[in-house]
Amino acid sequence: MLIVPEREIADLMTREAAFEAVEKVFAAMASGDAYNFPVIREAIGHEDALYGFKGGFDRAGLTLGLKAGGYWPNNLEKRGLINHQSTVFLFDPDTGKAAAMVGGNLLTALRTAAASSVSIRHLARQDAKVLGMIGAGHQAKFQMRAALEQRDFQKAIGWNLHPEMLSNLQEVADEAGIPFEAVELDGMTEADVIISITSSFDAILKADQVSPGTHIACMGTDTKGKQEVDPQLLVRADVFTDEVAQSVTLGEAQHAVAQGLISETDISQLGAVINGSNPGRVSDEQITLFDGTGVGLQDLAVASAVVDLAVQQGVAIEVDF
């Protein structure tokens, strides 16, 4: 079995490689060549932690495995560790034997950012100039860096419940050489693309705070009960997702579906847009919304890619198992 420790990931996996891996697996899902297993996600009753498993099988890429991990909200304050902790396990699909164990913390951040970035590539208006960010935590910096590579953005705006954290977004804007402005939520009407990346359980962005033609990537809702936007926004928008079954049960669409505002059939796979079987954006006035629930196949795709790179560069650890 090969082991790729967390400490090696930063030197192996790039945003470009993560984007390519996620885009390919979304396309494979839409064509029926890959599927996710049901998600297990539980509050364990210790340290306020959420823990679970996401897995799947990609027949096209012959990738089988799971990610185990979750969210420990006290880690940063108590231990100086990031709150999200995970490990990816890959198995040989021909034999079932354990093939690799890969540090999943940075990979999770990169694949989550890649997913919203893929949605921007395929759904945002080509002339998008203003990027809006809702949320300014650890993951927001990854999201913003990846998003800025997809369009010729001239400005970024941001809102966060704790305004002092907006310096994270200012830092990324400074790196990119574009101005950044802190705004109230009503100011999000200026944005052509909006990324929400919070751990909220209450709607933050209202339907009337989004302008026609905007693309929204909702990336924080991955658990039953979480919510980032007004369900009426999903009525106004054409809704796309990574996995429809997750979207309606633990993604942003869970609330609009539960209230009878939209149905499962109103939600399309982003992979179908990538494959060309769904036209995606058809007008400059159309609002598009990507419900990024985070599927196991994303984790497996980036982990498989990083194992190959680790072997090529001689940093994979081989053990008898």
Side-chain angles (χ1 to χ4, degrees), residues 9-20:
I9 304 299
D11 292 329
L12 293 170
M13 179 56 59
T14 62
R15 285 194 297 275
E16 294 76 17
F19 182 100
E20 181 179 354

Side-chain angles (χ1 to χ4, degrees), residues 9-254:
I9 304 299
D11 292 329
L12 293 170
M13 179 56 59
T14 62
R15 285 194 297 275
E16 294 76 17
F19 182 100
E20 181 179 354
V22 170
E23 186 179 47
K24 283 183 177 178
V25 83
F26 281 174
M29 288 165 57
S31 63
D33 291 326
Y35 66 99
N36 293 284
F37 305 151
V39 174
I40 296 173
R41 191 168 175 87
E42 299 289 341
I44 65 173
H46 179 72
E47 287 289 339
D48 301 320
L50 289 171
Y51 179 69
F53 306 91
K54 291 182 175 182
F57 178 48
D58 181 354
R59 294 187 189 90
L62 289 179
T63 307
L64 173 69
L66 61 90
K67 181 177 80 170
Y71 186 71
W72 271 255
N74 305 316
N75 268 3
L76 188 60
E77 183 178 347
K78 285 187 175 181
R79 303 174 183 89
L81 300 172
I82 65 170
N83 292 340
H84 287 93
Q85 293 289 327
S86 61
T87 305
V88 181
F89 299 88
L90 300 175
F91 298 85
D92 183 339
D94 295 328
T95 65
K97 289 185 65 176
M101 181 173 72
V102 184
N105 294 342
L106 179 56
L107 282 183
T108 298
L110 288 169
R111 67 84 154 148
T112 306
S116 63
S117 183
V118 170
S119 81
I120 294 168
R121 168 80 63 88
H122 292 279
L123 293 172
R125 296 194 331 268
Q126 291 298 321
D127 64 349
K129 298 297 183 187
V130 179
L131 173 64
M133 297 292 301
I134 296 175
H138 175 76
Q139 179 64 39
K141 296 170 72 173
F142 289 91
Q143 293 284 333
M144 189 171 173
R145 288 190 181 104
L148 288 172
E149 295 173 345
Q150 297 307 316
R151 292 291 187 272
D152 184 23
F153 289 108
Q154 302 297 303
K155 178 183 179 181
I157 60 177
W159 177 91
N160 194 64
L161 181 62
H162 304 287
E164 65 274 12
M165 295 180 67
L166 289 170
S167 59
N168 286 330
L169 305 182
Q170 180 73 65
E171 176 187 333
V172 178
D174 290 344
E175 289 173 4
I178 62 172
F180 172 78
E181 180 185 350
V183 298
E184 298 300 324
L185 287 167
D186 285 342
M188 281 294 155
T189 55
E190 183 184 0
D192 303 306
V193 172
I194 299 172
I195 298 174
S196 60
I197 182 67
T198 74
S199 56
S200 176
F201 280 80
D202 296 297
I204 297 171
L205 185 68
K206 307 304 182 189
D208 61 1
Q209 292 168 332
V210 176
S211 295
T214 304
H215 173 63
I216 309 117
C218 298
M219 304 305 297
T221 300
D222 59 359
T223 302
K224 189 172 183 179
K226 278 189 174 184
Q227 184 177 18
E228 294 191 292
V229 305
D230 181 353
Q232 288 293 337
L233 185 52
L234 281 81
V235 178
R236 287 187 67 196
D238 288 296
V239 182
F240 300 83
T241 190
D242 40 24
E243 175 74 54
V244 175
Q246 285 191 189
S247 176
V248 300
T249 55
L250 53 81
E252 193 63 45
Q254 64 180 284

